[in-house]
Amino acid sequence: MTTTGRRALLVAGASAAAAALTGCTSDDAGPPRPSAAERAAAREAERVARAEAALRRRAVTASRTLLERYDATLAAHPALHARVAPLRASVAAHVRALGEDPRPTATPDGASAAPVTTAPPTGPAVPADPKASLRELAGAARTASAAHTAELLAAPPEYARLLASVAASGAAHAYLLTEGARA
């Protein structure tokens, strides 16, 4: 063992002994207080959790907005049902996978937990022309896909993979709504 190695070993041993003795001291002042490093780590963990929750809200909002667009298009143009309904079902699955159930939840007595309103629901405006409606729906799918793609770098790995899949699906939907009809 070299002199430098011995010195490093002695310093490490002395540091470990000092840490052990510090941990063994007893104050009758109450519960132990977290160290500055522990408090900083807790603050950082809380900041990361808040950022991840905000990212998830943004992802769900983008997909929920697209789902509302699908619903409005289907309500305005029932003749498009065969073409649009499978894509709408896929978007509803994305909303659930990203963290929100798009259906109203039921209470234990079987009643809907959604508030009862007398006004008709206001959704996005849908063009009267079915082809224009499909173009707008494709544009909304592209917008949602871009929003999911933009969040990839900030997302944790598992959620990033889900966002990438949802973004790719949105791009495929946009194709199927426009170019796919020509094929």
Side-chain angles (χ1 to χ4, degrees):
M1 188 181 276
T2 65
T3 306
T4 306
R6 288 185 193 139
R7 285 186 189 141
L9 181 62
L10 287 173
V11 169
S15 298
L21 289 176
T22 303
C24 292
T25 61
S26 174
D27 284 350
D28 289 335
R33 297 174 131 172
S35 70
E38 291 170 329
R39 288 190 306 270
R43 282 192 305 269
E44 178 64 13
E46 186 176 327
R47 184 195 66 75
V48 167
R50 280 194 311 268
E52 186 176 328
L55 179 141
R56 289 176 185 266
R57 279 191 305 274
R58 288 189 305 272
V60 168
T61 299
S63 286
R64 188 181 333 113
T65 300
L66 180 59
L67 183 62
E68 291 168 359
R69 173 65 69 176
Y70 271 96
D71 289 341
T73 301
L74 284 170
H77 302 289
L80 295 175
H81 186 271
R83 183 170 180 189
V84 175
L87 302 177
R88 187 247 179 241
S90 176
V91 172
H94 297 159
V95 172
R96 282 190 302 279
L98 290 169
E100 181 182 281
D101 191 349
R103 299 167 304 204
T105 57
T107 59
D109 63 358
S112 175
V116 177
T117 60
T118 56
T122 58
V126 177
D129 178 39
K131 288 184 180 187
S133 183
L134 288 175
R135 282 192 303 273
E136 281 198 13
L137 190 55
R142 281 188 209 94
T143 300
S145 179
H148 295 312
T149 302
E151 299 290 356
L152 287 176
L153 292 178
E158 285 297 316
Y159 203 69
R161 285 190 278 281
L162 176 61
L163 284 173
S165 295
V166 171
S169 178
H173 286 194
Y175 173 80
L176 291 171
L177 290 166
T178 55
E179 301 298 321
R182 296 179 195 152

